[in-house]
């Protein structure tokens, strides 16, 4: 499984490594090792991250291109290897965690103030916040996908402390304690209004109860039913069924594997929020309007101030 993950993520490192990108177009690219068990992506897919007109693919303002590359890889895997891997291998989880771990390493370079590969927009609040939001949403998307399509079981707080990471060392090492209880796991599957989430092929989150969410769920179920009826050789299907009966061990959560890297680098965002908060406070002092429609009189400005505080918190979560 480790070899499979390493080989299928080799193009990702080649296309999106910030150090390699900062070396310039004239740098000599080192080709990845020839894979032993790797699907062959189309040439367009391999080159997609390197389109110069769209900017540097490894930069913070191009984070979505990383996640689009991975979604495309997952679709290729589903088409090339339908119903092949035993469930207890948790191969798709390990591949996703390895991808997020590599992304985490790239983010540390991009956000760092020293060293080769630092992003020039690392202190741009708009770019910084967008990159963080895209990363958090992607982690939630992958959590929902693994839970629903592969029955992945994620560890909860006490279980994680007693058992540690799903695998020690390497790219599967547990790098974060961002998710500590079942409430955090459930939060990864719901939106701000506590409604369920569905994700389209581009990773856009929609309410599961909406017309689009119902359509996505129906299409996914149709694909699963189609895959279940296409089992191939009877002996292979029987062997796979036996392997799938093995116990699926809980794995460490994905939420925070990459997004937690942003925590020590959110200074520019915090500074901007502090400035805006000061302005809000100054405006509140000058506004004496009182709302007397409730049981108790309330300063109108205080309501606006608390709404702003709430929004400032949700903007980066």
């Amino acid at each position: 499984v480790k070899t499979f993950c390493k080989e299928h993520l080799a193009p990702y490192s080649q296309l999106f490594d910030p150090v390699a990108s900062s070396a310039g177009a004239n740098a000599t690219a080192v080709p990845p090792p020839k894979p032993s068990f790797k699907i062959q992506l189309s040439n367009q897919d391999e080159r997609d991250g390197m389109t110069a007109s769209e900017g540097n693919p490894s930069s913070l303002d191009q984070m979505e291109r990383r996640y689009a590359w991975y979604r495309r890889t997952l679709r290729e895997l589903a088409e090339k290897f339908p119903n092949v891997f035993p469930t207890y291998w948790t191969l798709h989880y390990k591949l996703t965690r390895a991808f997020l771990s590599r992304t985490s390493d790239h983010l540390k370079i991009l956000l760092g103030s020293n060293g080769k590969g630092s992003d020039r927009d690392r202190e741009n609040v708009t770019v910084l916040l967008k990159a963080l939001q895209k990363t958090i949403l992607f982690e939630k998307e992958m959590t929902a996908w693994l839970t629903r399509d592969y029955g992945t079981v994620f560890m909860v707080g006490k279980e994680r402390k007693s058992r540690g990471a799903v695998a020690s060392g390497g790219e599967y090492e547990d790098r974060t304690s961002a998710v500590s209880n079942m409430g955090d796991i459930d939060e990864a599957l719901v939106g701000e209004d506590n409604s369920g989430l569905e994700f389209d092929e581009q990773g856009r989150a929609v309410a599961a109860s909406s017309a689009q969410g119902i359509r996505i769920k129906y299409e996914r179920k149709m694909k699963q039913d189609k895959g279940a009826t296409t089992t191939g050789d009877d002996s292979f299907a029987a062997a796979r069924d036996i392997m799938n009966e093995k116990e699926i061990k809980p794995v460490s959560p994905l939420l925070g594997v990459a997004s937690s890297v942003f925590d020590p680098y959110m200074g520019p965002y915090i500074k901007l929020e502090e400035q805006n908060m000061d302005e809000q406070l100054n405006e509140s002092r000058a506004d004496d309007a009182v709302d007397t429609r409730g049981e108790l009189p309330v300063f109108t400005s205080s309501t606006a101030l608390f709404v702003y505080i709430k929004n400032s918190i949700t903007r980066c979560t």
Side-chain angles (χ1 to χ4, degrees), residues 109-266:
I109 296 172
L110 290 169
L111 295 169
S113 58
N114 299 319
K116 195 174 184 180
S118 297
D119 196 292
R120 62 182 181 181
D121 291 325
R122 63 184 180 275
E123 294 187 1
N124 183 314
V125 176
T126 302
V127 173
L128 187 64
L129 199 57
K130 182 180 178 181
L132 172 60
Q133 291 170 339
K134 290 287 186 182
T135 302
I136 292 176
L137 187 60
F138 179 77
E139 291 173 338
K140 290 184 176 183
E141 175 192 350
M142 291 297 103
T143 299
W145 168 68
L146 289 167
T147 302
R148 292 166 180 167
D149 289 12
Y150 293 95
T152 303
V153 179
F154 290 95
M155 292 181 184
V156 295
K158 293 181 179 179
E159 188 175 23
R160 293 185 67 227
K161 291 179 180 178
S162 62
R163 296 181 58 179
V166 63
S168 58
E171 293 185 83
Y172 314 128
E173 184 179 1
D174 185 21
R175 301 187 180 194
T176 177
S177 58
V179 179
S180 59
N181 54 56
M182 183 55 77
D184 294 326
I185 294 292
D186 292 339
E187 183 182 352
L189 307 179
V190 300
E192 293 180 6
D193 57 354
N194 292 323
S195 61
L197 292 179
E198 290 287 350
F199 297 87
D200 62 16
E201 292 186 354
Q202 285 72 44
R204 292 188 290 264
V206 298
S209 58
S210 66
Q212 186 178 1
I214 293 173
R215 178 181 61 80
I216 293 172
K217 185 177 181 180
Y218 176 76
E219 290 177 350
R220 183 178 67 248
K221 187 176 185 303
M222 292 292 291
K223 290 180 181 179
Q224 291 173 343
D225 292 343
K226 182 179 179 180
T229 58
T230 311
T231 57
D233 182 71
D234 291 341
S235 60
F236 171 78
R240 188 191 65 243
D241 292 340
I242 293 174
M243 288 188 292
N244 285 340
E245 290 178 358
K246 291 191 176 183
E247 179 185 1
I248 302 177
K249 296 181 179 179
V251 295
S252 296
L254 295 176
L255 191 60
V257 173
S259 59
S260 62
V261 175
F262 285 87
D263 290 351
Y265 301 102
M266 295 302 292

Side-chain angles (χ1 to χ4, degrees), residues 64-97:
E64 179 57 31
R65 292 169 70 181
R66 295 172 175 268
Y67 305 138
W69 179 93
Y70 188 67
R71 294 187 194 101
R72 185 167 56 246
T73 299
L74 292 178
R75 289 196 295 270
E76 295 275 1
L77 281 174
E79 293 173 1
K80 299 291 184 180
F81 302 127
N83 302 313
V84 171
F85 305 108
T87 305
Y88 77 95
W89 281 12
T90 59
L91 181 139
H92 295 84
Y93 163 80
K94 291 175 181 175
L95 181 66
T96 303
R97 190 173 185 86

Side-chain angles (χ1 to χ4, degrees), residues 31-85:
K34 186 176 181 180
S36 57
F37 188 46
K38 177 182 180 297
I39 58 175
Q40 297 301 316
L41 301 178
S42 67
N43 291 333
Q44 178 59 39
D45 285 342
E46 293 284 0
R47 295 195 305 264
D48 189 50
M50 302 300 289
T51 306
S53 61
E54 297 181 6
N56 181 357
S58 69
S59 62
L60 287 173
D61 65 346
Q62 299 292 324
M63 288 299 294
E64 179 57 31
R65 292 169 70 181
R66 295 172 175 268
Y67 305 138
W69 179 93
Y70 188 67
R71 294 187 194 101
R72 185 167 56 246
T73 299
L74 292 178
R75 289 196 295 270
E76 295 275 1
L77 281 174
E79 293 173 1
K80 299 291 184 180
F81 302 127
N83 302 313
V84 171
F85 305 108

